[in-house]
Amino acid sequence: MMRLLKRSYMSLIMLFLYAPIVLLIVFSFNAGRSRGLWGGFSLHWYAELLRDQQILTALRNTLVIGLSAAAISTVIGGLGAIGLYQLRRKGLRQAMLSLANLPMLNSEIVTGVSLLMLYAAMRMELGFVTLLLSHVAFCIPYVVLSVLPKLRQLDPHLAEAAQDLGATPFKAFCRVILPDIMPGVFSGFLLAFTLSIDDFVISLFTTGPGVTNLSITIFSMARRGISPKLNALSAVIFVVVLTLLIIINLPNFKQQNKKTRKEIPI
Amino acid sequence: MQDHLIVLQDLRMVFGDGYEALKGVNLYIDQNEFLTLLGPSGCGKTTTLRIVGGFEKPTSGDVLYRGKSIVNLPPYRRNINTVFQRYALFPHMNVAQNISFGPDMRKEDRQKTARRVLEMLELVNLSGFEKRSVKTLSGGQQQRVAIARALINKPDVLLLDEPLGALDLKLRKEMQGELKRIQVESGITFLYVTHDQEEALTMSDTVVVMRGGEIQQIGTPQDIYNEPKNAFVADFIGESNIYAGTMVKDKRAIFLGCEFNCVDKGFGQNVPIDVVLRPEDVKLKPAEAGIDGAPQGTVLSTLFKGVHYEMRVLVGEDVVLVHSTHAREPGAEVLVTVAPSDIHIMHKSDYVRENDEEEEGLM
């Protein structure tokens, strides 16, 4: 009896969490326009999606911004993580780490407004550049957060060992350190990309006329009445983000099965 | 000066937090020597090693290598290689890739390197392991890979930072023999760091005992064991009895309330001294034996240790530790005797034996 109760409770929670998304995906394949009546299976709305120039432009912007922001923030965040890792003074390192993490806890709307004010103060014209800069800014902490644990797992003498064997510091980094933290760098990149294509609030504040990404486009289209096209678009975004998240977390699942490596304190 | 391979001149090291790790270390290392820095943690032995390796820069002082200063040379430009405490093998490379890292960095011929890798694996008894991932190796095997990775570069000096610390006792004994064999076969100078006095005595040509950033004694293992310069060295090197005493004149010393014949001279007359007695050198005789001038005591405890019995004998207010194959009942009255040549006289030092320090050293 208890077990039945537990199971049905779990099912209820799952239903509550996923019913809207499942409904959205199911109705993206609906032949009719209705949001309540099933009119038969069809890929009509996906075809419509591909014909909509506004959406395709937004999609292109989203991908370009997402990939560039992910690449730039991976480089900056990765180097930042290495810098934090090498700080010898513990107090300073903790303070810097907290500073780097703060933007993640900060409310998006505050980040958006403050970036907007910054651009205004610098007399920068809002548009593609400001949008990209904003995305880079909010992605960096996530990259730091995914690279730093990988660095901490390293034997602290690895770089020294490489130099001992004749590698210059730069070569030691490329040949020994980088390959070992690559999983962290990679998941940082994917995480940044996911966050970028998902972002709405900060984008809305920091983009200018003529440059829109998917989330802003969907928002403005939805205000004019929800078209089943949006169902299809949302379904696509959902599947893409879900896939990326699974890829990011895959190494973690694998690691849990393996013997966990002893973490070396820095 | 030109004849020594490495000369350390008045090395001082003060870290950023004001901690003084080295307080003026002077030392020379000769070609083909197996020299061991021995001391408790925090004595400065690892710091000294890291300065020779180029990983730390001394606050002052100089490191001469074949007569030339190398303190400003980065590690990758020194012909010195290191075996790190936790091996620091490159986890994403296999055994062969790890070992060929040095030659690859110098862009040496790949085929020649591949042959040398096999030679090295043979030297460290790991033939057939070249394709294995280093993550699947046991501690002892990783240790051997680390040694091969360093030796393939034909260094003039190999630095070893407590390389056997992570191995179990049996493997440690085995590796001690291996290391000595490799050192003799390769003819490479070894600079070895350890806190294990037995390891130091077994393998080294020269042992340097350090404490608190200063060298206490430099000598052969026999010198260090038999003629410790002060109470700290005597205490650190092995279990021993250390007593305050007085040198009456040459070859006559008073301690444990009695006057003894000894072989030391040149201390002067009526000078305060420290006396070291090794537990295995102390012989107990029944009280009835009636030996003149031998202190009498009571057996406090007797412990069976396998090879021998360990007994504590109370003499006046002092306790004498005795190792003997012949057990005495606790409570028995005994006479304590020591052969004159087994009495080691040392100049008085400020060292006060602390139990924690002793235990740490004996681990």
Side-chain angles (χ1 to χ4, degrees):
Chain A
M1 187 60 200
M2 247 339 249
R3 187 189 277 178
L4 192 75
L5 209 67
K6 273 186 193 166
R7 279 199 183 160
S8 42
Y9 183 64
M10 277 302 287
S11 318
L12 267 175
I13 288 180
M14 285 297 155
L15 190 73
F16 186 65
L17 283 176
Y18 286 99
I21 295 166
V22 171
L23 206 66
L24 179 137
I25 294 175
V26 168
F27 273 90
S28 71
F29 294 108
N30 193 357
R33 256 196 103 78
S34 165
R35 263 165 282 142
L37 284 170
W38 182 250
F41 179 84
S42 151
L43 289 172
H44 171 74
W45 299 113
Y46 287 89
E48 276 292 292
L49 203 59
L50 290 176
R51 274 196 291 271
D52 189 318
Q53 210 48 53
Q54 195 189 355
I55 287 178
L56 286 181
T57 313
L59 175 69
R60 213 197 60 214
N61 281 341
T62 301
L63 289 179
V64 170
I65 296 269
L67 288 173
S68 328
I72 297 170
S73 60
T74 301
V75 172
I76 297 177
L79 292 176
I82 290 165
L84 278 173
Y85 169 70
Q86 285 183 339
L87 274 182
R88 277 201 185 185
R89 277 173 52 197
K90 211 176 167 205
L92 186 66
R93 191 173 64 222
Q94 272 308 325
M96 293 298 288
L97 190 61
S98 309
L99 269 179
N101 286 342
L102 204 59
M104 284 192 292
L105 304 171
N106 199 1
S107 130
E108 283 203 328
I109 194 118
V110 175
T111 310
V113 171
S114 55
L115 281 168
L116 179 64
M117 287 173 68
L118 177 74
Y119 297 139
M122 292 171 70
R123 294 179 195 287
M124 283 176 78
E125 202 178 314
L126 293 181
F128 184 84
V129 176
T130 51
L131 187 61
L132 178 61
L133 284 177
S134 312
H135 279 224
V136 169
F138 75 74
C139 285
I140 287 174
Y142 293 93
V143 177
V144 172
L145 208 67
S146 56
V147 175
L148 207 53
K150 288 284 162 210
L151 282 168
R152 286 188 175 150
Q153 279 174 11
L154 291 183
D155 184 330
H157 293 302
L158 275 186
E160 283 180 356
Q163 288 195 44
D164 186 73
L165 294 164
T168 57
F170 179 70
K171 259 190 174 167
F173 175 74
C174 295
R175 291 283 306 268
V176 174
I177 305 298
L178 198 56
D180 271 345
I181 62 169
M182 214 49 207
V185 174
F186 184 64
S187 67
F189 177 86
L190 284 185
L191 198 59
F193 181 64
T194 314
L195 289 167
S196 168
I197 60 176
D198 217 24
D199 179 73
F200 169 67
V201 177
I202 296 174
S203 305
L204 189 65
F205 276 98
T206 53
T207 190
V211 184
T212 55
N213 64 4
L214 272 181
S215 54
I216 295 175
T217 308
I218 293 173
F219 176 71
S220 54
M221 284 170 87
R223 280 202 301 195
R224 280 178 270 135
I226 292 178
S227 145
K229 244 191 310 197
L230 289 186
N231 287 349
L233 183 58
S234 306
V236 171
I237 294 176
F238 174 75
V239 170
V240 169
V241 170
L242 185 70
T243 314
L244 288 176
L245 283 177
I246 289 174
I247 295 173
I248 293 169
N249 285 307
L250 218 49
N252 294 341
F253 287 132
K254 271 192 208 154
Q255 227 166 31
Q256 268 165 17
N257 294 334
K258 268 196 249 164
K259 201 169 53 175
T260 38
R261 236 170 87 191
K262 203 179 157 198
E263 202 162 300
I264 297 159
I266 54 170
Chain B
M1 205 76 118
Q2 291 291 328
D3 304 315
H4 304 308
L5 185 61
I6 291 178
V7 180
L8 308 183
Q9 281 177 343
D10 201 28
L11 283 187
R12 279 166 205 283
M13 185 75 183
V14 183
F15 284 112
D17 53 4
Y19 176 69
E20 207 179 355
L22 296 179
K23 301 170 185 165
V25 166
N26 287 288
L27 184 68
Y28 65 80
I29 305 163
D30 280 328
Q31 190 85 45
N32 298 349
E33 194 175 11
F34 194 128
L35 185 138
T36 300
L37 302 176
L38 173 68
S41 42
C43 73
K45 55 191 193 299
T46 297
T47 306
T48 308
L49 186 93
R50 289 175 59 79
I51 288 174
V52 177
F55 306 115
E56 306 277 358
K57 218 174 145 183
T59 311
S60 70
D62 209 351
V63 181
L64 300 183
Y65 179 82
R66 295 190 200 283
K68 276 188 205 132
S69 171
I70 56 165
V71 271
N72 290 317
L73 220 55
Y76 50 90
R77 292 190 47 209
R78 301 185 182 198
N79 197 15
I80 294 174
N81 288 111
T82 310
V83 175
F84 290 87
Q85 197 167 4
R86 261 179 297 197
Y87 323 133
L89 297 179
F90 307 134
H92 62 285
M93 301 182 191
N94 67 25
V95 170
Q97 287 166 336
N98 261 282
I99 298 177
S100 59
F101 189 87
D104 287 350
M105 281 297 122
R106 291 189 302 275
K107 301 205 163 42
E108 282 174 18
D109 179 62
R110 281 185 175 271
Q111 287 195 335
K112 203 179 122 209
T113 303
R115 267 201 310 280
R116 296 260 303 135
V117 167
L118 297 182
E119 276 171 39
M120 283 301 133
L121 283 171
E122 203 170 318
L123 181 73
V124 296
N125 285 332
L126 274 183
S127 293
F129 277 73
E130 51 270 26
K131 291 276 178 283
R132 288 274 294 271
S133 156
V134 292
K135 286 183 226 161
T136 65
L137 301 183
S138 71
Q141 290 164 339
Q142 291 191 19
Q143 174 66 72
R144 286 156 201 258
V145 174
I147 293 168
R149 184 178 69 173
L151 285 180
I152 197 170
N153 305 295
K154 297 181 189 153
D156 293 321
V157 186
L158 187 65
L159 310 180
L160 301 105
D161 185 7
E162 308 221 14
L164 308 183
L167 305 181
D168 62 60
L169 187 67
K170 191 163 169 286
L171 207 55
R172 205 151 63 206
K173 299 267 182 219
E174 228 175 271
M175 284 304 292
Q176 286 176 13
E178 286 282 279
L179 279 177
K180 188 67 195 170
R181 175 183 66 82
I182 290 170
Q183 193 253 338
V184 171
E185 275 179 26
S186 61
I188 292 171
T189 307
F190 274 36
L191 177 56
Y192 195 96
V193 160
T194 185
H195 63 260
D196 182 325
Q197 85 285 356
E198 193 222 317
E199 211 167 279
L201 297 179
T202 313
M203 295 190 286
S204 324
D205 300 317
T206 308
V207 177
V208 178
V209 183
M210 295 180 71
R211 174 191 171 215
E214 287 170 317
I215 291 178
Q216 301 290 308
Q217 186 172 2
I218 304 177
T220 65
Q222 289 85 351
D223 284 346
I224 300 276
Y225 190 82
N226 292 328
E227 298 296 334
K229 245 189 189 158
N230 58 37
F232 172 78
V233 176
D235 192 25
F236 192 76
I237 279 300
E239 280 185 290
S240 48
N241 301 294
I242 300 170
Y243 306 104
T246 310
M247 199 75 184
V248 185
K249 55 181 186 185
D250 282 355
K251 301 189 181 183
R252 287 295 279 179
I254 294 178
F255 59 94
L256 289 175
C258 292
E259 204 169 316
F260 287 84
N261 282 321
C262 61
V263 294
D264 297 77
K265 46 188 178 180
F267 282 82
Q269 291 190 352
N270 295 317
V271 177
I273 46 158
D274 279 325
V275 178
V276 175
L277 304 177
R278 294 289 174 198
E280 64 271 24
D281 292 335
V282 181
K283 306 281 182 267
L284 299 180
K285 298 274 186 313
E288 306 84 60
I291 301 165
D292 274 349
Q296 188 168 342
T298 316
V299 177
L300 288 177
S301 64
T302 304
L303 264 180
F304 179 59
K305 287 273 186 167
V307 187
H308 55 74
Y309 291 91
E310 182 182 290
M311 288 167 283
R312 291 177 186 275
V313 180
L314 187 68
V315 179
E317 287 185 342
D318 293 310
V319 174
V320 184
L321 189 70
V322 184
H323 289 171
S324 166
T325 50
H326 186 66
R328 310 257 167 197
E329 287 296 313
E333 291 293 311
V334 290
L335 293 175
V336 174
T337 66
V338 195
S341 60
D342 289 333
I343 296 173
H344 307 298
I345 311 282
M346 307 173 303
H347 289 287
K348 199 104 186 112
S349 72
D350 59 344
Y351 173 66
V352 181
R353 194 199 308 220
E354 291 160 38
N355 275 327
D356 331 340
E357 202 170 330
E358 179 188 43
E359 267 160 32
E360 195 182 61
L362 292 173
M363 267 192 357

